[in-house]
Amino acid sequence: MKTCKLIQKVLLSTLVSYISISCSNDDSTSEVIPQEVKGKFVISSAPGTGSLGTGTYFLTVDGLDSGTDAIVENSNAVKTTSSFTQIVVNNSSTLMGFIYPNGSDLGQGQSGARAFKFGTDNKMVELQGSPFPTGRFTVTGSFGNFIYAVSSTDNSYLFERSGDNVTMMDKPIDFESHKIGEEKATITGIADRGNNEIVAAFKYASVDEAVVAIMDYNFTIKSVIQDARMSYSGGQWRGAVYSQIASEASGLTYVFSGAGSGNATTKKAGALKINKGENSFDTNYFFDIETASGGYKFRKVFPVSNDYYLLEFYNDTTNTGNTANATRYAIVKMSSKEFKWVEGLPAYNEISSNGWPLAYEGKMYLPINPVSGKSAVYVINPVSGNAVKGFEINNETEQIRAVSYFK
């Protein structure tokens, strides 16, 4: 009897051990922990003062918070013969550089664009189908899976990538049905609301009001709304127009008016709001940014994170034409209407220009090209408004045109 009980205990112990081992093995083989894919940063640079016609160089780096290197003379850099006045990156995967007629490598007087992807060798590779000769364009940007370019006339283009190919579609917009008097609108910026819907800033030269159109991704106009509390949205430097409208992940849209770039309005530079799902301006919201800044008007608007934005201001309160210098920078928090000048950058009169910045993980990476000295990327904390120098070019003979992130 004792022997039977002993045998039973041994068998039971063996069975439990087998089950335990089997379960353990099942757990170890079925549990797969995904590895985070680490992206890379690309610095776009041009030789000398960045004049058109000198080409663009792309260098891949691991980070922008520190480091120093040459780009133009770097054997790891990739060169394209085109000089870009505007650089747009969509979905951290496709870069499009836009070519101004002056200094164009597509032929003198020929506007156009080139499209690139981030290759498996960690270098920029031009996509099939690129380059694209186009008509004149003024403002560029992205929404959904598209990159766009539209003009002050009737040119409007959508670029879409599929694999290693990119295609261009000419998309006419029905401005004719939305005239004010005999005047047709021009688009000065676009914000992506998601769900196949965008908000486009309209400008009528004779209308001193904010006007926007609710449209779908095919540029079909659903409705047009306007507000007399501020002037039209959009900044400008010579022939280039800069979008001053942005939508957030929460679904609301901010429409800014810098009230500069040759705008003769007497209305304050500021911002209005369109709430999520609404097709009208919030009558209870207006941010008087001009008064908050001490009387300055602004040219460019860059989303940073949440409802923080980086604004590029004109240097003088009176000289705000479309060729005036604009090298002052401030952070605004839209929900609470907070304003702070960025501290830690070179003095405004020591800055020649800035490159296209990158918003990444809650910070803004702003390329600064000085009047004299080395170009560098400054890392701006939007909460504190403080900037610190990050990556720096190791020579004084090239400028940073843009910084981008790819994954």
Side-chain angles (χ1 to χ4, degrees), residues 293-352:
S293 70
Y296 290 87
K297 302 178 188 297
F298 55 90
R299 183 169 64 186
K300 294 178 186 173
V301 174
F302 303 109
V304 184
S305 66
N306 298 323
D307 63 342
Y308 287 102
Y309 289 78
L310 175 70
L311 273 54
E312 176 192 84
F313 283 82
Y314 289 95
N315 293 350
D316 301 317
T317 56
T318 54
N319 184 12
T320 61
N322 71 2
T323 60
N325 293 328
T327 52
R328 295 180 184 267
Y329 303 91
I331 292 288
V332 290
K333 183 173 175 60
M334 302 304 291
S335 58
S336 55
K337 300 180 182 178
E338 296 176 48
F339 178 98
K340 56 173 74 74
W341 291 109
V342 176
E343 301 286 344
L345 297 175
Y348 74 91
N349 55 359
E350 296 176 357
I351 299 174
S352 173

Side-chain angles (χ1 to χ4, degrees), residues 28 31 55 73 111 114 117 124 131 147 154 156 161 181 222 224 238 256 265 277 283 313 316 368:
S28 64
E31 183 179 2
E73 299 298 330
S111 301
R114 289 186 185 272
K117 72 168 187 175
M124 300 303 291
I147 292 175
D154 291 329
S156 52
R161 176 182 167 186
K222 299 178 179 180
V224 176
R238 298 187 185 275
F256 295 79
T265 185
T283 57
F313 283 82
D316 301 317
I368 293 292

Side-chain angles (χ1 to χ4, degrees), residues 359-373:
Y360 178 74
E361 293 191 342
K363 299 176 183 178
M364 182 60 87
Y365 292 80
L366 177 67
I368 293 292
N369 301 305
V371 174
S372 62

Side-chain angles (χ1 to χ4, degrees), residues 165-211:
N165 294 278
V166 62
T167 56
M168 181 180 76
M169 297 163 281
D170 193 346
K171 289 284 187 178
I173 301 172
D174 182 20
F175 293 118
E176 190 71 27
S177 299
H178 299 276
K179 286 182 176 180
I180 294 181
E182 292 300 314
E183 185 180 359
K184 291 196 297 185
T186 59
I187 289 180
T188 55
I190 293 176
D192 187 1
R193 297 180 90 181
N195 298 318
N196 192 39
E197 193 169 78
I198 59 176
V199 182
F202 274 16
K203 174 185 174 181
Y204 296 88
S206 62
V207 179
D208 190 21
E209 295 185 5
V211 184

